Amino acid sequence: MKAITNTKYVKNLFFLAILLFSATAVVAQEEEEETEPKFTFTGSIDAYYRANLNGDNSAPDGAPNAAPGSSFANLPGFSLGMANFVAGYEGEKVGFVADLVFGPRGTDAIFASPIYSATGNIVNQLYAYWNVSDAVTLTFGNFNTFLGYEVISPVANFNYSTSYLFSYGPFSHTGLKADIALSDDFSLMLAVMNPTDMTELNVTGKYTYGAQIGYSGQYLNLLIDNGAYEVDYTGGFDLSDSFFLGLNAAYFDGDGAGSFAGAAIYPQLTTSESFAIGLRAEYFAETDAFGAIGTDTNADPDASVFAVTLTGSATIGNLIIKPELRLDTASDDSGYFLDSDLMAQKSLSSFVLAAVYSF
């Protein structure tokens, strides 16, 4: 058998050893009687209607300029989101989660899968975990990203359409992570993972590293991906019993392949047990036509966009109805957004009515 001489592999093995050691050595383990494991089955379905108020609505799926350059809720007319089924088996020490998605939103969420994306991969998350102690949990497999304020499932987001920050950050990772509760207020997460969005296997032989420091619901995140890196802050504050303010800011450097930076605020007001209203105001800028705004051949490769989204949320049992108005304004009018006559314009206004059922 050949001797291992590649220092990168040695470094990765060393990092894994440190990760496992830190998880098992934080606190002394105590033998406890295992409780009866519990099986859970949850999920959701969502569908929506979407229309541009000042743009063409006849463009086919995937046509440029027909919708904001962020993920999800971008199809014209009456459209489908996804069906999401999550099975879990939860014991006192160990368990697993199998999170499956079907439909356009699910396909977009796993679009970068290098092997199965063209043949219908349905795995959103698939991981096992071990509660090493009351303070330490190890997770092994495929899990949604720890960066950003928003998530893939529409149930956990207040706004139905998604932000640019969410859309151009990573969606999911595959690897090993350790979540460590340092105190009642402080937490630490360390992870070693495949390169971003390589969820089934690693085709490069390289690895990505992640870290998160949390304090009282505020999180500072770092992702280092083979020369590229992203720094992200996600948090929020309950300013009163009925008013919440969410916050997100991020900077990504693509190591010569473009970069982006942005910030978003999420004020949300609960007016009754069945209704709330929320706003998302986001500024997002990119360099070198990273992919969000400057994708048109005539567009500025260093472009920015300001997007304001107003969403209502009416709850009827397990059903949530979300009417939404959105206005996206780009930094130039060189053709990224088109009006109803297919002429270039700086802004695109749109309306969405979504229905989300969760169980």
Side-chain angles (χ1 to χ4, degrees), residues 295-331:
T295 54
D296 187 87
T297 55
N298 297 319
D300 183 357
D302 298 337
S304 64
V305 64
F306 181 70
V308 179
T309 306
L310 180 65
T311 307
S313 182
T315 302
I316 309 168
N318 290 345
L319 177 66
I320 305 175
I321 304 296
K322 289 182 178 287
E324 184 170 285
L325 288 170
R326 176 166 176 163
L327 175 63
D328 292 66
T329 302
S331 56

Side-chain angles (χ1 to χ4, degrees), residues 42-58:
T42 60
S44 67
I45 65 96
D46 61 289
Y48 63 96
Y49 170 81
R50 183 185 180 282
N52 292 323
L53 302 180
N54 68 333
D56 184 66
N57 285 294
S58 61

Side-chain angles (χ1 to χ4, degrees), residues 68-321:
S70 57
S71 300
F72 312 145
N74 285 340
L75 302 178
F78 293 101
S79 305
L80 300 180
M82 70 180 186
N84 184 199
F85 302 118
V86 185
Y89 202 59
E90 180 182 353
E92 186 174 347
K93 289 291 185 181
V94 297
F96 76 85
V97 169
D99 180 349
L100 308 180
V101 290
F102 307 84
R105 187 183 183 109
T107 299
D108 289 346
I110 56 178
F111 74 100
S113 171
I115 300 299
Y116 299 111
S117 59
T119 57
N121 182 17
I122 61 173
V123 175
N124 180 33
Q125 299 185 94
L126 186 65
Y127 61 84
Y129 63 87
W130 172 27
N131 296 321
V132 180
S133 70
D134 290 340
V136 179
T137 298
L138 292 178
T139 301
F140 191 94
N142 172 225
F143 41 85
N144 288 161
T145 187
F146 53 94
L147 287 85
Y149 182 88
E150 299 178 23
V151 297
I152 293 170
S153 170
V155 177
N157 292 335
F158 189 92
N159 305 101
Y160 184 72
S161 67
T162 51
S163 68
Y164 290 88
L165 281 171
F166 169 76
S167 301
Y168 291 89
F171 283 168
S172 297
H173 310 281
T174 296
L176 172 66
K177 68 172 181 171
D179 290 284
I180 306 167
L182 301 177
S183 70
D184 290 342
D185 295 323
F186 280 98
S187 64
L188 173 68
M189 188 279 295
L190 298 172
V192 57
M193 304 162 291
N194 289 345
T196 298
D197 292 323
M198 291 188 180
T199 54
E200 280 75 40
L201 73 168
N202 189 336
V203 298
T204 67
K206 300 178 181 179
Y207 291 90
T208 296
Y209 303 97
Q212 179 188 82
I213 298 175
Y215 175 72
S216 296
Q218 315 307 311
Y219 298 95
L220 181 63
N221 304 301
L222 173 65
L223 186 71
I224 300 174
D225 193 349
N226 300 299
Y229 68 89
E230 182 172 354
V231 180
D232 170 270
Y233 161 71
T234 300
F237 301 91
D238 289 307
L239 301 182
S240 72
D241 291 340
S242 59
F243 187 68
F244 174 78
L245 179 64
L247 302 168
N248 188 206
Y251 174 76
F252 171 82
D253 187 313
D255 191 29
S259 65
F260 67 76
I265 59 172
Y266 299 81
Q268 297 162 12
L269 177 66
T270 300
T271 61
S272 69
E273 292 183 356
S274 59
F275 187 78
I277 189 168
L279 182 76
R280 178 181 60 218
E282 178 187 22
Y283 175 79
F284 183 90
E286 66 177 4
T287 64
D288 300 326
F290 182 80
I293 313 147
T295 54
D296 187 87
T297 55
N298 297 319
D300 183 357
D302 298 337
S304 64
V305 64
F306 181 70
V308 179
T309 306
L310 180 65
T311 307
S313 182
T315 302
I316 309 168
N318 290 345
L319 177 66
I320 305 175
I321 304 296

